[in-house]
Amino acid sequence: MSIKPVAAHEPPYCTVVFTSVQTERLEGYGETAERMEKLVEEVPGFLGYESARTPGGLGITVGYFRDEEAIATWQRNLEHQAAQKRGRAEWYESYSVHVGKVERSYGFERN
């Protein structure tokens, strides 16, 4: 498996940054996360995502979407809404969501 950042896209496009601290109660989390990955890929206008978690437990996931409508489509997904509800009830101590607009984007890849 090759690890690469999400490729630069033609701006403008949108980002959703989800920053979280998990609880110790993570039963069902992995399976739900895998399901959410598959579902979000079906959203028209979804461009990709990157995710990382520090050893101390801070997690950051950045989702990239073509526009606000693509984000709204993801927000309206009923399985996603159920996962959010379960996350608040069981999996997260805290989280924050930041939505932004990318005005400039570029990248580099060694050949």
Side-chain angles (χ1 to χ4, degrees):
M1 179 176 110
S2 177
I3 298 174
K4 294 183 180 181
V6 172
H9 292 277
E10 184 64 34
Y13 57 95
C14 298
T15 61
V16 177
V17 182
F18 177 73
T19 307
S20 65
V21 176
Q22 292 179 323
T23 66
E24 292 182 16
R25 183 178 173 196
L26 296 176
E27 183 179 322
Y29 178 83
E31 297 86 357
T32 302
E34 286 179 19
R35 176 68 180 148
M36 293 303 105
E37 289 172 21
K38 287 182 173 70
L39 279 178
V40 73
E41 289 173 355
E42 296 173 5
V43 172
F46 175 71
L47 303 174
Y49 79 96
E50 298 155 325
S51 190
R53 187 162 298 279
T54 69
L58 180 68
I60 300 173
T61 299
V62 182
Y64 301 92
F65 296 84
R66 176 52 47 208
D67 51 32
E68 292 276 350
E69 181 54 37
I71 294 170
T73 298
W74 179 232
Q75 289 173 322
R76 288 189 300 263
N77 181 285
L78 296 179
E79 281 188 70
H80 181 220
Q81 289 175 9
Q84 288 175 317
K85 184 176 180 179
R86 188 167 179 196
R88 286 188 296 273
E90 298 177 38
W91 300 322
Y92 297 113
E93 288 292 339
S94 63
Y95 67 79
S96 59
V97 178
H98 309 274
V99 179
K101 187 173 186 181
V102 176
E103 300 290 343
R104 186 168 54 140
S105 182
Y106 56 92
F108 165 82
E109 186 173 334
R110 186 172 311 281
N111 294 340

